[in-house]
Amino acid sequence: MSIIVPVYNAARFIDETISYVQKQTCAEWELLLVDDCSTDQSREIIEQKIQEDMRIRLIVQIENGGAAKARNRGIQEACGQYICFLDADDIWMPDKLKVELEYIKKVHAGFVFMGYEFADISGAGLGKVVHVPERITYQQALKNTTIFTSTVMIDRNIISDEDICMPYIASEDTATWWRILKKYGAGYGIDKNLVRYRRSADTLSSNKLTAVRRIWNLYRRQEHLSVIKSAYYMCFWAFRAVLRRI
């Protein structure tokens, strides 16, 4: 498994995030930390960790390009059959990789994801758990953007790197999941809470108006849906987005 982490000024969390990967009960992984021109101590912390664990790799971007470009660089450099994404401040429980790997093999799927829990800035769970469906299609995903990036695992023997690479737009991860589901039929969910999504008060997905605009633009510009269809899906998206936070 290749675990791809975009890193930008993540010194506050990156040591802890690396440790969550190292504590996984499934040990057959490589960790690709893609530094996106950080100006803090992120690189120094990663370089120290590399001395302790040969499974960790540091990839340095020449110029800052954002999370999508960092993830795509990681995909290009990855050696594993399975691609996993982890954001630099998110949290994995020790069985995350094991459970997901067993499941993706069991159902012969190319794309799986799982539930997660919102956490505060310290990493403590808030008790707000997002449950996921056993199976989700493209049409269903347009109504329900429940797929969280740090929960995803993709089999490169089934899904091409070209389809995994993310576009350089806002909400690039959601656009990628839609593209995969549209082309490959369905994704499969594991309704277990083995991931925590750490969020601070100022990043609550964070500016709600910005989030609405991003999703609307995905419907209109990326998926080329009509205004009526976009509004239809937007109503479902907004309803579920609110439910996830109460």
Side-chain angles (χ1 to χ4, degrees), residues 192-234:
K192 292 186 177 182
N193 174 25
L194 298 176
V195 178
R196 287 184 184 168
Y197 170 27
R198 191 188 330 237
R199 59 180 190 170
S200 59
D202 60 347
T203 59
L204 281 187
S205 231
S206 152
N207 184 319
K208 301 299 188 298
L209 182 58
T210 298
V212 169
R213 286 173 176 167
R214 286 181 174 183
I215 296 300
W216 179 259
N217 286 335
L218 285 185
Y219 289 139
R220 297 286 288 135
R221 299 176 185 176
Q222 193 71 16
E223 302 305 309
H224 306 294
L225 300 179
S226 68
V227 171
I228 293 175
K229 282 190 174 181
S230 297
Y232 170 76
Y233 287 121
M234 193 84 196

Side-chain angles (χ1 to χ4, degrees), residues 115-119 124-131 193 195-197 199 204 242-246:
Y116 60 95
E117 180 181 6
F118 288 108
L126 297 174
K128 298 179 181 179
V129 177
V130 176
H131 296 280
N193 174 25
V195 178
R196 287 184 184 168
Y197 170 27
R199 59 180 190 170
L204 281 187
V242 170
L243 280 184
R244 283 198 293 270
R245 287 163 171 79
I246 63 176

Side-chain angles (χ1 to χ4, degrees), residues 29-46:
W29 50 261
E30 63 169 356
L31 178 59
L32 287 74
L33 297 146
V34 186
D35 181 65
D36 198 25
C37 300
S38 295
T39 57
D40 63 3
Q41 300 300 308
S42 295
R43 281 182 61 180
E44 288 80 354
I45 295 170
I46 294 169

Side-chain angles (χ1 to χ4, degrees), residues 31-140:
L31 178 59
L32 287 74
L33 297 146
V34 186
D35 181 65
D36 198 25
C37 300
S38 295
T39 57
D40 63 3
Q41 300 300 308
S42 295
R43 281 182 61 180
E44 288 80 354
I45 295 170
I46 294 169
E47 287 168 349
Q48 179 59 42
K49 285 290 187 178
I50 289 173
Q51 302 302 315
E52 304 167 3
D53 195 331
M54 294 180 62
R55 296 171 297 178
I56 301 171
R57 294 167 57 191
L58 171 62
I59 300 167
V60 179
Q61 295 283 73
I62 297 175
E63 59 182 26
N64 179 270
K69 286 189 176 181
R71 292 188 185 115
N72 291 348
R73 176 72 184 281
I75 293 167
Q76 294 171 4
E77 301 280 350
C79 298
Q81 176 182 342
Y82 301 98
I83 294 288
C84 298
F85 297 107
L86 175 61
D87 284 349
D89 57 350
D90 289 332
I91 298 165
W92 281 357
M93 300 298 106
D95 283 341
K96 191 271 184 186
L97 289 180
K98 179 177 181 291
V99 168
E100 216 159 32
L101 183 62
E102 289 176 351
Y103 187 75
I104 201 170
K105 291 180 177 179
K106 176 183 176 182
V107 298
H108 305 290
F111 180 82
V112 301
F113 57 99
M114 62 171 50
Y116 60 95
E117 180 181 6
F118 288 108
D120 63 21
I121 199 67
S122 71
L126 297 174
K128 298 179 181 179
V129 177
V130 176
H131 296 280
V132 298
E134 184 176 341
R135 184 177 184 273
I136 192 167
T137 64
Y138 168 70
Q139 293 293 336
Q140 292 167 335

Side-chain angles (χ1 to χ4, degrees), residues 145-174:
T145 56
T146 192
I147 302 171
F148 176 42
T149 305
S150 291
T151 74
V152 165
M153 179 180 284
I154 300 173
D155 186 344
R156 300 168 87 186
N157 285 351
I158 298 176
I159 297 176
S160 71
D161 284 2
E162 180 181 3
D163 291 321
I164 303 171
C165 284
M166 298 185 177
Y168 303 139
I169 59 174
S171 297
E172 72 283 349
D173 46 357
T174 297

Side-chain angles (χ1 to χ4, degrees), residues 13-30:
F13 302 111
I14 197 62
D15 183 86
E16 186 179 3
T17 302
I18 292 171
S19 73
Y20 290 130
V21 176
Q22 291 176 312
K23 292 175 183 176
Q24 291 296 301
T25 53
C26 183
E28 296 181 5
W29 50 261
E30 63 169 356

